[in-house]
Amino acid sequence: FGILFAPLEAPVVTLSGWNVYRWADAVDFERGHVYSLAMNNYWHTNFKASQEGTATFRYVLWSYAGPQDPWQASRRAWQPYQPLVPIELPREADERVPWLPPSWLSVEGGPLVVVGVKVAETEPDLVLRLWEPRGQDAEATLTFRLPGGKTVASAREAGILEQPGETLPVEDGAVRVRVPAGAVYTLLVTPVLK
């Protein structure tokens, strides 16, 4: 079993002892203490060392059974930062909000985390960045349901600077990708422009 710990507003923590600002290749977790640097006043900067008013710091703990799984850990750790955001739509939303599909992207297969989506420097391409967290080669199918009924015209692997690489086959708006163990993988997707 294990415990996942996610500090939401104060990301600097030390484990077992007060060993902050010291280089360590490993931490001996002899004591079950977790110290959180809620406010970092270590550095001599141009703001005062005290702060007035109320400050809220939230921490999330999850327990799990079985061996540690980096993919599940990353999903859990990201959830508080990407909460579900509800929006109220009027009854006639189908006609007024055609750009709001139920889900424009689904990922099926080996565990991949979508860590970024943006418009490419060479518009109208989309850039997707995928991360393989388990340290094992992964294959997955990405299915696109783009706004306005658009589909995918082409897909290419790309480098970190968005330079196009190998062309990937597209079938019914779906692209199959192979992501190396632990890698961040960049995909360029060109929508069909109507």
Side-chain angles (χ1 to χ4, degrees), residues 59-73:
Y59 302 87
V60 180
L61 292 171
W62 293 280
S63 63
Y64 62 89
Q68 195 244 353
D69 182 346
W71 181 60
Q72 291 294 340

Side-chain angles (χ1 to χ4, degrees), residues 76-150:
R76 289 279 189 195
W78 286 31
Q79 283 176 347
Y81 299 104
Q82 298 175 341
L84 181 63
V85 178
I87 54 174
E88 183 178 349
L89 297 176
R91 289 179 186 236
E92 55 279 349
D94 288 341
E95 292 135 20
R96 293 180 58 203
V97 194
W99 49 266
L100 192 65
S103 177
W104 69 271
L105 174 66
S106 65
V107 180
E108 296 177 27
L112 295 176
V113 178
V114 178
V115 294
V117 178
K118 73 180 219 52
V119 175
E121 299 300 319
T122 57
E123 292 184 37
D125 291 353
L126 288 176
V127 176
L128 278 82
R129 301 215 198 276
L130 309 166
W131 172 52
E132 191 294 308
R134 283 190 176 156
Q136 303 168 0
D137 292 350
E139 292 188 19
T141 300
L142 282 63
T143 304
F144 295 87
R145 294 174 198 87
L146 299 174
K150 293 180 182 174

Side-chain angles (χ1 to χ4, degrees), residues 142-185:
L142 282 63
T143 304
F144 295 87
R145 294 174 198 87
L146 299 174
K150 293 180 182 174
T151 185
V152 173
S154 66
R156 292 158 294 173
E157 293 182 338
I160 194 74
L161 298 176
E162 302 175 18
Q163 63 274 40
E166 181 182 340
T167 299
L168 301 173
V170 176
E171 289 185 31
D172 297 324
V175 178
R176 185 120 179 110
V177 297
R178 289 184 179 90
V179 179
V184 174
Y185 177 90

